[in-house]
Amino acid sequence: MIQFSGVSKYYDGDPVLNDISFTIEKGELAYITGPSGAGKTTLLKLIYCAERPDSGQIVVAGWDVGKLKQGTIPFLRRNVGIVFQDFRLLFNKTVFDNIALALRIHDMQPREIKETVNNVLKDIRLKHKEHVFPQHLSGGEQQRIVIARAMVSRPTVLLADEPTGNLDMDTSRNIMGLFREINARGTTVLIATHNNALFHGTGRRVLYLHNRHIEKEAVG
Amino acid sequence: MRTLIYGFQTALKSIWHEKWINLLTVLSVSIGLLILSSFVTVTLNVDSALKRWAKGFGMVVYLDGDLTAKAENDLKNLFRQDPDIIEVKYISKEQAVRELRRTLGENASILDELDENPLPSSFELRLKRDLLKPAVVKKKAEQIRQLKGVAEVQYGEKWLSSLNTLSTILKTSAVFLGCAILVAIVFITYNTIKIFFYRRKDEIETLKLLGATRTFIRLPFLMEGLFIGIAGGLISAAALFGIHSVISLKGVEILPSIRTLLVAPPVQAYIAIIIAGAAMSLAGSFIAVGRIRY
């Protein structure tokens, strides 16, 4: 589902990622870890085409990402749900509208949007907050909204960048539970985190990013 | 279609949310269009007045003194058959003297001192209105001057030239002013939409990451620009209609003679104002949104 073959990325001549190769299979839930500044966010950005590789090939859900034209990028991103480190919620829209936006972009019927968003809100147990604006929600609730927005359009791949960065342990556990549920429905999930506690004992594959390349692969 | 509806709804929300800056932009656009349309209306009225005055324009063809009645008649027929001439009037030597006596009034007695009538017979010709251009009239005068039996041709060369210059200056000014104002409208809308675009930069970034196409992102801004232009055009058209109505009603009371000169802007002019406002504002919005890169 996600395939990196000898991918390198430079910023101002300095390598950020060097000769990265790995494959995430369809339906897999995997982690990518490493210290801050190891290039985890850049690696995710390469997947959703916010950055382009300087060399190597990246294939995501059948798309050769490095060769995509500007006009085609939106259609790749519709297949890739993203949970951002900084949430990127729109504070002038309600919880409902934040989630519905992803479906409006997909040109879905208003009736269908209402039904789908309501179901997702029930899934994340925030139906009672649908008319609330994000600034009035806790960090954990905001993160659940972000996950709901990323998942509502049923993408084939879900990327999460430090999804529990600012959350306490209990909330983090809940959020990770949501990712497992999403993965159980068949979505390929790749989570970037520096927090070892998130993958220890999960039995999932972990890619260790260090010194600009994949240092080792292990089972968490 | 749903994208269009979403763009429409988002544009309406933004117009309401940013109502003051939008109102200011609409007023600026309408003032610009009003200045332009007023100037065009004035030019239209002046041009129409000039054409009315030019209606009486003609040339006088003086004949040789020894011309026979048959030769004079041949010339008269020739002028009548000329499609460029709409009226031919023959002035005999006797009529010319009578005219001169009337003009001289008390001093007419000096004519009694003359042994014979020195005035030549002549033709007064009135030319077609669309021929009243200095170069065309000059060429026509030259052609007539070459005819056998014609001694001299006179016409208001300087007057015609001044009239033409005035009309040209007005029309050229209207074109330049029009271009300047239309560019200004593009710039005004560009500024407003650019401000909105920057204010919603984070939202646009999120939309791009969620897979929104360029059309989906641009449409609300373009529609907002379009609404601004249409609203500006409507206000300007209404103001022009109001001003013209007031001048027609009140101005005539003060200066009754302007009744015959006043030309009302045609319906097409009002439609053109609205279309110009919409098109220029749309262009401004389009430039403001610019190229969206992912």
Side-chain angles (χ1 to χ4, degrees):
Chain A
M1 186 55 68
I2 302 171
Q3 192 179 8
F4 273 55
S5 311
V7 173
S8 296
K9 176 71 190 171
Y10 298 85
Y11 284 146
D12 300 324
D14 297 326
V16 184
L17 296 171
N18 193 17
D19 196 23
I20 303 279
S21 296
F22 67 87
T23 302
I24 308 287
E25 299 297 338
K26 189 178 177 189
E28 192 180 349
L29 188 158
Y31 295 86
I32 185 142
T33 189
S36 294
K40 302 186 292 295
T41 301
T42 304
L43 191 142
L44 294 188
K45 280 183 175 175
L46 285 169
I47 296 174
Y48 60 83
C49 214
E51 296 285 355
R52 300 277 187 153
D54 290 310
S55 62
Q57 191 190 36
I58 304 167
V59 179
V60 179
W63 304 75
D64 188 342
V65 174
K67 288 181 182 165
L68 282 186
K69 287 182 180 162
Q70 283 283 317
T72 323
I73 294 172
F75 301 100
L76 163 80
R77 291 184 183 167
R78 290 180 191 187
N79 277 290
V80 180
I82 313 163
V83 177
F84 303 100
Q85 196 171 359
D86 55 356
F87 299 166
R88 286 189 176 273
L89 286 169
L90 303 178
F91 290 100
N92 60 346
K93 292 188 190 294
T94 62
V95 163
F96 183 95
D97 284 334
N98 262 281
I99 300 171
L101 189 61
L103 299 177
R104 292 205 171 99
I105 287 169
H106 280 71
D107 204 22
M108 201 183 256
Q109 294 264 20
R111 192 169 39 82
E112 235 180 307
I113 291 176
K114 197 173 178 186
E115 196 184 319
T116 313
V117 174
N118 282 334
N119 288 338
V120 169
L121 281 168
K122 278 178 203 157
D123 285 349
I124 60 165
R125 292 167 290 280
L126 280 176
K127 177 77 181 87
H128 59 293
K129 299 274 173 97
E130 65 176 315
H131 299 302
V132 176
F133 286 90
Q135 57 269 41
H136 300 127
L137 299 175
S138 69
E141 287 171 329
Q142 287 190 18
Q143 187 62 297
R144 275 147 70 192
I145 301 301
V146 176
I147 295 170
R149 186 182 63 186
M151 281 314 301
V152 73
S153 56
R154 303 247 171 236
T156 47
V157 175
L158 179 69
L159 307 174
D161 191 5
E162 299 288 3
T164 59
N166 303 311
L167 306 177
D168 59 58
M169 267 321 282
D170 273 352
T171 315
S172 297
R173 248 181 252 123
N174 285 335
I175 296 294
M176 296 316 287
L178 267 179
F179 285 127
R180 281 193 296 276
E181 277 176 37
I182 290 162
N183 176 245
R185 290 176 199 160
T187 306
T188 307
V189 181
L190 180 61
I191 301 169
T193 178
H194 68 278
N195 184 357
N196 296 353
L198 290 187
F199 51 79
H200 269 158
T202 56
R204 307 286 184 169
R205 196 149 64 102
V206 183
L207 306 171
Y208 288 85
L209 196 59
H210 193 64
N211 284 336
R212 299 179 289 276
H213 66 273
I214 304 284
E215 197 177 57
K216 64 172 180 174
E217 273 190 41
V219 174
Chain B
M1 186 62 191
R2 280 189 287 273
T3 303
L4 208 66
I5 294 167
Y6 171 80
F8 185 77
Q9 286 171 338
T10 311
L12 284 184
K13 275 182 198 164
S14 175
I15 285 171
W16 177 247
H17 190 68
E18 308 276 5
K19 47 188 169 294
W20 298 114
I21 189 168
N22 271 315
L23 186 66
L24 209 65
T25 311
V26 167
L27 288 177
S28 305
V29 169
S30 60
I31 288 167
L33 286 170
L34 184 61
I35 293 170
L36 173 63
S37 51
S38 302
F39 192 80
V40 171
T41 308
V42 168
T43 308
L44 197 75
N45 275 279
V46 170
D47 201 48
S48 154
L50 291 178
K51 278 183 179 161
R52 276 164 202 249
W53 289 331
K55 204 175 174 183
F57 181 82
M59 56 174 65
V60 183
V61 179
Y62 293 104
L63 307 177
D64 286 336
D66 55 352
L67 211 62
T68 62
K70 186 186 175 298
E72 283 181 355
N73 208 40
D74 287 347
L75 273 175
K76 191 176 185 178
N77 287 334
L78 192 71
F79 292 144
R80 277 188 176 157
Q81 284 161 13
D82 191 328
D84 294 341
I85 299 166
I86 52 172
E87 197 177 306
V88 180
K89 189 179 171 190
Y90 174 70
I91 314 281
S92 66
K93 289 162 75 89
E94 293 71 29
Q95 269 178 291
V97 166
R98 277 202 295 277
E99 284 286 323
L100 188 60
R101 274 186 191 284
R102 200 161 37 239
T103 310
L104 291 172
E106 288 176 0
N107 303 319
S109 56
I110 57 164
L111 293 175
D112 299 334
E113 304 295 320
L114 300 169
D115 295 334
E116 59 179 88
N117 181 357
L119 299 178
S121 49
S122 62
F123 284 107
E124 279 181 16
L125 309 178
R126 206 148 59 76
L127 300 179
K128 266 181 163 177
R129 196 188 292 186
D130 52 345
L131 284 177
L132 295 181
K133 289 173 187 135
V136 179
V137 175
K138 194 173 181 179
K139 196 177 164 193
K140 193 78 197 165
E142 283 300 324
Q143 280 174 0
I144 294 173
R145 197 170 281 132
Q146 302 298 320
L147 295 173
K148 199 179 171 190
V150 172
E152 199 185 342
V153 179
Q154 279 186 358
Y155 64 96
E157 191 174 357
K158 282 187 180 169
W159 181 79
L160 182 67
S161 179
S162 308
L163 209 68
N164 208 61
T165 308
L166 180 63
S167 177
T168 308
I169 287 172
L170 275 172
K171 282 175 188 167
T172 313
S173 308
V175 169
F176 275 104
L177 186 75
C179 289
I181 286 177
L182 293 179
V183 169
I185 290 170
V186 171
F187 191 68
I188 289 165
T189 320
Y190 165 86
N191 267 331
T192 303
I193 299 298
K194 198 80 184 168
I195 290 168
F196 295 161
F197 195 75
Y198 275 124
R199 279 191 190 170
R200 289 170 59 193
K201 212 169 169 49
D202 288 342
E203 185 178 338
I204 290 162
E205 278 308 308
T206 305
L207 286 172
K208 287 198 295 195
L209 292 169
L210 290 175
T213 57
R214 287 166 173 157
T215 308
F216 189 92
I217 297 168
R218 277 186 184 138
L219 209 56
F221 295 101
L222 297 183
M223 283 194 168
E224 197 162 352
L226 190 68
F227 292 155
I228 287 171
I230 291 172
L234 282 170
I235 293 173
S236 171
L240 181 69
F241 182 78
I243 291 169
H244 188 267
S245 304
V246 168
I247 291 174
S248 302
L249 291 171
K250 298 285 174 188
V252 167
E253 284 175 17
I254 304 161
L255 242 170
S257 58
I258 65 166
R259 187 195 301 273
T260 50
L261 293 174
L262 268 179
V263 178
V267 180
Q268 291 94 319
Y270 292 108
I271 296 168
I273 291 169
I274 298 164
I275 290 174
M280 294 302 115
S281 294
L282 192 63
S285 317
F286 197 80
I287 300 167
V289 176
R291 286 192 68 195
I292 292 171
R293 294 194 67 80
Y294 289 95

